[in-house]
Amino acid sequence: SEVVISADRSLLDGYISICDPNSFSGLRAPRCGFLFYRTDLQVASEQAMGYLHIQAYTTIAGFAFCSLLILVAFHRVISRRVQRIIDTLSRFSEGDRNARSRLEGEDELVTISEHLDDILARFADEEAAVVESERLKQAILDSANAAIIYTDREGFIQFISAGTERILGYTAEELVGKGAYLLHDPDEVRRRAGSGNPARVREFMDSARKRQSVQAYEDEWTYLRKDGSPVAVGLSVSELADDQGQVRGYLALARDLAEEKRIARSLQLAERVFQSAAEAIVVSDAEYRIVDVNPAYCQLTGYEREEALGQYPHMEFPADAPKGEMHRLRQTVRDDGIWTGELLGRRKTGELFP
C-alpha cells in the first residue's frame, strides 16, 4: 500500500493490494489486485468541522439546559426562602409584630430563620413591655390632679399633661412650642421683677430659670387660664439632665391651690369650732384612746389636755345600766357611725357627773 498527498494538500491518493484468500487453494494462481482511492481533504475537513460544530452546539445546549435546571432548583430552594425572610422583615417593620419566617429543613437558611424569629419575638416582647410601661406612665400623668409641663432649655413647652388641660383649659396643640412664660400673669411677673421694663422682666425670668436646680424650685404663682381668669398655683420646677449631666429641659408641676385653700379654710373653721365649743368634745382612735380634747372637756373634767391624751375617755354608764352597755355602744358606733345616749363623766377628783 502507498499514500500520497497532493502538492496543494487538497487530495489524498492511495492504493492497497488486495488478494482473495480462497484463491490459494489448489493449483490455480491466486487472484489479487489493487484498490485505488482518492479523498478530497477539503471536503473531509469541512465535514469534520461540521461534525465538531454539531457536537459543540449539542454540548452547549446540554450545558444551558443543566444550568437552567440548576437555576430553577436554586430559585426554589434558596431564592424563594430568602424572599420569605425578606417579606417577614418587611411585615415586621410595617407593624406586624406576629410576623415570623418559620422555614423548615436542616440547612443554613433554616438556622438563620430560627435565630431571626427568636430575635423578632424578643423584640416584640420588649417593645410590648415598653409600650405598657409608657401607657402606665401616661395614665399616671393624666390622672394627676396637677398641671405637669415639660419645657426645653429655652423654656419652650414640649409636653403638657391632661391635668394641664383640665386646670388651664388649653389643649396640647395650643401650648406645645410656646413659651411657658405665657401662662404667667404678666402683671405679677413685672411686679416681682421690680420693673415694667421688658428687658428687666426677661432678665428676671432667665435668672429664675438659672436658679432652677436639681433641688426643686418652689413658689406660689398666678397662672392665667385660656379664658383669662387667674388661678393660684403652687409651682415646683426641677431640671432634667442626661447621663452626662447636661441640662436638657425643665419639668414643672403646678398644683391648683384653690381647692387646697378651701380645705385649709374649712380646717381652720373646724378648729375654731372645736376650740370654742361650750360642749366637751373628745376625739379618739379606733382603740378608743384619746387623741385630742377641746378646752371645754378640760374645764369639765379637770384634766389638762396632755394628761388626757392616750387615756380612755373618763366616762361610764350609771350603776343601774344593763351589763355590756359599753360594748353595745361601741358596736353601734362601728355599725351606724353614731350613738346617742346618757353617760356619767368622771372628773379628775373622782367625782361623777351626768
Side-chain angles (χ1 to χ4, degrees), residues 9 11 21 28 52 55 73 81 90 99 114 122 153 187 221 225 235 243 245 249 255 271 310:
R9 296 181 176 277
L11 297 175
R28 290 183 299 176
L52 287 176
Q55 185 67 29
R81 304 175 86 188
S90 177
E114 290 174 349
R122 285 190 282 111
R153 295 176 59 183
D187 293 334
W221 285 84
R225 296 187 178 93
L235 182 62
D243 294 338
R255 306 183 321 277
E271 179 65 17

Side-chain angles (χ1 to χ4, degrees), residues 42-341:
Q42 185 173 0
V43 173
S45 175
E46 291 176 353
Q47 290 178 344
M49 290 300 295
Y51 294 145
L52 287 176
H53 288 163
I54 292 174
Q55 185 67 29
Y57 293 151
T58 303
T59 303
I60 293 173
F63 180 78
F65 181 72
C66 292
S67 299
L68 180 61
L69 290 178
I70 293 174
L71 287 175
V72 171
F74 179 82
H75 179 269
R76 183 176 182 82
V77 177
I78 305 297
S79 298
R80 289 177 59 184
R81 304 175 86 188
V82 171
Q83 187 61 46
R84 184 171 177 178
I85 293 176
I86 294 173
D87 292 341
T88 298
L89 291 173
S90 177
R91 296 202 321 271
F92 192 88
S93 65
E94 292 172 357
D96 183 4
R97 292 298 180 257
N98 293 320
R100 303 290 185 273
S101 56
R102 296 189 177 91
L103 296 183
E104 297 180 355
E106 298 180 356
D107 55 22
E108 290 80 0
L109 277 179
V110 174
T111 302
I112 295 174
S113 170
E114 290 174 349
H115 286 301
L116 176 63
D117 289 348
D118 182 61
I119 292 173
L120 295 181
R122 285 190 282 111
F123 181 89
D125 291 341
E126 292 174 1
E127 183 184 53
V130 171
V131 170
E132 177 62 20
S133 175
E134 292 301 318
R135 187 197 66 79
L136 179 60
K137 292 177 183 177
Q138 188 63 47
I140 293 173
L141 289 176
D142 291 342
S143 63
N145 190 27
I148 301 175
I149 303 171
Y150 170 68
T151 71
D152 60 17
R153 295 176 59 183
E154 302 303 319
F156 292 99
I157 297 174
Q158 305 299 310
F159 166 83
I160 67 170
S161 66
T164 307
E165 299 182 10
R166 290 193 298 268
I167 294 174
L168 300 180
Y170 289 100
T171 64
E173 291 75 14
E174 293 171 321
L175 286 183
V176 171
K178 304 293 181 60
Y181 61 87
L182 294 176
L183 300 177
H184 288 267
D185 181 354
D187 293 334
E188 181 182 50
V189 173
R190 283 191 291 268
R191 185 171 61 255
R192 292 198 180 192
S195 170
N197 188 316
R200 180 73 182 87
V201 172
R202 171 61 65 179
E203 180 183 349
F204 170 76
M205 296 297 287
D206 289 342
S207 64
R209 279 200 299 270
K210 291 178 181 178
R211 290 196 304 269
Q212 296 163 358
S213 61
V214 177
Q215 292 76 28
Y217 160 81
E218 297 184 4
D219 203 348
E220 184 175 333
W221 285 84
T222 301
Y223 272 1
L224 295 181
R225 296 187 178 93
K226 183 179 178 180
D227 59 10
S229 60
V231 53
V233 297
L235 182 62
S236 174
V237 183
S238 59
E239 66 182 24
L240 299 180
D242 57 21
D243 294 338
Q244 287 72 42
Q246 298 297 319
V247 177
R248 294 301 180 186
Y250 299 98
L251 185 66
L253 177 67
R255 306 183 321 277
D256 185 352
L257 297 182
E259 182 65 15
E260 293 184 15
K261 290 183 177 182
R262 186 192 66 79
I263 294 174
R265 287 194 297 270
S266 298
L267 291 176
Q268 291 172 358
L269 178 60
E271 179 65 17
R272 286 197 297 269
V273 171
F274 180 76
Q275 294 294 335
S276 60
E279 293 82 7
I281 301 176
V282 180
V283 181
S284 69
D285 60 16
E287 302 298 326
Y288 299 97
R289 294 183 179 275
I290 297 175
V291 295
D292 204 359
V293 296
N294 67 342
Y297 180 87
C298 296
Q299 293 176 2
L300 189 62
T301 62
Y303 287 97
E304 297 293 335
R305 179 177 178 277
E306 290 72 17
E307 294 177 317
L309 297 182
Q311 303 295 321
Y312 290 105
H314 306 91
M315 59 187 67
E316 58 188 64
F317 281 94
D320 58 351
K323 291 184 178 181
E325 195 66 17
M326 184 61 72
H327 174 74
R328 281 188 288 273
L329 179 154
R330 294 176 177 177
Q331 188 64 43
T332 301
V333 171
R334 281 195 294 268
D335 295 341
D336 302 335
I338 187 173
W339 177 89
T340 59

